[in-house]
Each structure stands twice: as structure tokens, then as C-alpha cells.
């Protein structure tokens, strides 16, 4: 399940790569003003559309609700549209769900040395981890990673009411509140020239701080 907002330059390649392993891809277009919908559709994704921009949290909930309508779907992966996540990492996480008594697997960029994180972003992410541990009791090492794998129970149980950046904290809180069986898996977050050109690294840090102190 891929939240999508103005990612026309990269989303076709992201979906095509993902479909080689996961043939059923749902993109939730969150009011894009570019050719994102056409590119995702051309790559073979099913595209569900929000008429206006509601935020990533709303996109995740819409996508999960749509995917849950398929009675044959047992596992659900949330995957960013900007090319920062690796399909191989997602596959490992799904295999963990299939072979272990787990409800949700959360990706962590801090469990191995593959991801190079800018100093400011590393500090903010670590503050996020500390905040989540204190407020939820869920001891993640990376509380704001968009790569997650869920079984049907987790996908149905987790309530996402926060539309924007606060949804990441809400998901962690829901894991604790519902006593979901969880684990982390090492993932490589690839900070590309494209993502840096959009200013995501800096602005995501600001958004995460807003999430922590204003939610």
C-alpha cells in the first residue's frame, strides 16, 4: 500500500519494482496535482483517490481499508512512493509475519549500518524513539519509519485517526494499546537526490518535532 502525493517522476519505477515481488499494489493518491495517478496506473497499480490532500495518515487508513476488502489478502505492507524503501526489505518483513507469531513488523534504519542518516535527522529520530518509549511502552529503535508489514489482525485493529505526521506516533501507540505482537527488521532507507531535492530530510525532521510536542 503506497501513499502517493506528487511523486510523478519516480512512482512508476517504484511500483514496477514492487510488483515484481508483490503483484497487488494499491496507491492512494492524496490530491496530487501532477501526473502521479497516470504514472502509478501505467505501472499496474490500483489507484484510490482522495479529491483533496488529507495527509499521509489518511492515505494509509484509506489504503488499508481498501486492501482489506480482498478476502485472500493475509499481509499488508506500507511502502513510500519516493523510492526510499527496498522491496527486498519488505519481503523479509512479510516472511517474518508468515513464519513467526507476529502481528506487525516495523522497519528500522538503525539496526544495521546500511542507512546514512544526517546528524540533525538522527537526533530528531532518536528523540522520537525516546518519546514513544516513554509514552507508549513500545521500545522501538525507529519510531517514524514508513516501511511496515501487518497481518490482517493488525491492519483491522490499528486505528489511524491522525491524518498527518502524528499518524506515526499513533500507530506505535496502537501497537501498545492493543498488545499487538511486534518486531523490528533492519531496513535500508535510501536518501536519493530526488528526495533531497524535495527537502524531505529537513522538513520531515520539523514535522516529527511538531508531531511529538503538538499532537
Amino acid at each position: 500500500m503506497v501513499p502517493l502525493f506528487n511523486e510523478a517522476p519516480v512512482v512508476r519505477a517504484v511500483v514496477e519494482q514492487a510488483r515484481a515481488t508483490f503483484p497487488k499494489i494499491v496507491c492512494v493518491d492524496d490530491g496530487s496535482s501532477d501526473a502521479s495517478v497516470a504514472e502509478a496506473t501505467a505501472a499496474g497499480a490500483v489507484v484510490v483517490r482522495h479529491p483533496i490532500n488529507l495527509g499521509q495518515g489518511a492515505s494509509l487508513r484509506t489504503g488499508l481499508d481498501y486492501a482489506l476488502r480482498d478476502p485472500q489478502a493475509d499481509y499488508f505492507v506500507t511502502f513510500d512512493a519516493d523510492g526510499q524503501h527496498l522491496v527486498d526489505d519488505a519481503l523479509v518483513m512479510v516472511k517474518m509475519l508468515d513464519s513467526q507469531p507476529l502481528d506487525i513488523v516495523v522497519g528500522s534504519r538503525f539496526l544495521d549500518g546500511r542507512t546514512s542518516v544526517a546528524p540533525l535527522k538522527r537526533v530528531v529520530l532518536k528523540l522520537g524513539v525516546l518519546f514513544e518509549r516513554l509514552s507508549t511502552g513500545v521500545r522501538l529503535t525507529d519510531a517514524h519509519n514508513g516501511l511496515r508489514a501487518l497481518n490482517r489482525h493488525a491492519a483491522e485493529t490499528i486505528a489511524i485517526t491522525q491524518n498527518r505526521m502524528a499518524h506515526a506516533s499513533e500507530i506505535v501507540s496502537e501497537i501498545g494499546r492493543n498488545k499487538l505482537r511486534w518486531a523490528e527488521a533492519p531496513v535500508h532507507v535510501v536518501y536519493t537526490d530526488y528526495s533531497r531535492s524535495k527537502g524531505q530530510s529537513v522538513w520531515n525532521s520539523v514535522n516529527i518535532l511538531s508531531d511529538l510536542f503538538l499532537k
Side-chain angles (χ1 to χ4, degrees), residues 64-143:
L64 288 172
D65 288 344
Y66 182 90
L68 282 164
R69 291 163 53 186
D70 181 351
Q72 296 182 325
D74 295 319
Y75 305 119
F76 308 83
V77 175
T78 65
F79 197 92
D80 286 354
D82 58 8
Q84 292 193 17
H85 293 151
L86 301 183
V87 176
D88 287 348
D89 288 337
L91 181 59
V92 167
M93 295 163 72
V94 171
K95 288 181 176 178
M96 289 174 64
L97 289 179
D98 193 47
S99 63
Q100 301 178 40
L102 296 169
D103 297 309
I104 183 169
V105 180
V106 181
S108 173
R109 74 201 88 187
F110 299 118
L111 292 180
D112 62 21
R114 288 181 293 164
T115 302
S116 177
V117 183
L120 172 61
K121 192 172 185 70
R122 180 178 291 273
V123 169
V124 171
L125 289 170
K126 290 298 185 181
L127 284 173
V129 165
L130 178 61
F131 182 89
E132 301 302 348
R133 288 183 176 185
L134 293 173
S135 62
T136 69
V138 179
R139 299 182 65 82
L140 296 177
T141 63
D142 190 354

Side-chain angles (χ1 to χ4, degrees), residues 13-188:
V14 169
V15 171
E16 287 176 345
Q17 291 169 11
R19 287 191 70 233
T21 301
F22 302 105
K24 295 183 179 181
I25 305 293
V26 176
C27 290
V28 179
D29 179 67
D30 195 31
S32 293
S33 58
D34 64 1
S36 290
V37 171
E39 292 294 309
T41 302
V46 173
V47 180
V48 181
R49 303 186 69 175
H50 289 164
I52 60 173
N53 180 258
L54 297 176
Q56 192 176 69
S59 295
L60 288 175
R61 189 66 264 170
T62 295
L64 288 172
D65 288 344
Y66 182 90
L68 282 164
R69 291 163 53 186
D70 181 351
Q72 296 182 325
D74 295 319
Y75 305 119
F76 308 83
V77 175
T78 65
F79 197 92
D80 286 354
D82 58 8
Q84 292 193 17
H85 293 151
L86 301 183
V87 176
D88 287 348
D89 288 337
L91 181 59
V92 167
M93 295 163 72
V94 171
K95 288 181 176 178
M96 289 174 64
L97 289 179
D98 193 47
S99 63
Q100 301 178 40
L102 296 169
D103 297 309
I104 183 169
V105 180
V106 181
S108 173
R109 74 201 88 187
F110 299 118
L111 292 180
D112 62 21
R114 288 181 293 164
T115 302
S116 177
V117 183
L120 172 61
K121 192 172 185 70
R122 180 178 291 273
V123 169
V124 171
L125 289 170
K126 290 298 185 181
L127 284 173
V129 165
L130 178 61
F131 182 89
E132 301 302 348
R133 288 183 176 185
L134 293 173
S135 62
T136 69
V138 179
R139 299 182 65 82
L140 296 177
T141 63
D142 190 354
H144 288 80
N145 196 310
L147 183 54
R148 311 174 187 89
L150 305 84
N151 67 9
R152 179 170 282 271
H153 172 62
E156 291 175 336
T157 300
I158 290 175
I160 305 175
T161 61
Q162 298 288 338
N163 284 354
R164 299 192 180 274
M165 287 302 294
H167 77 272
S169 297
E170 186 175 33
I171 289 172
V172 178
S173 178
E174 285 290 288
I175 291 172
R177 186 176 72 85
N178 293 290
K179 296 180 171 55
L180 297 177
R181 300 167 300 174
W182 64 273
E184 288 185 294
V187 301
H188 182 192

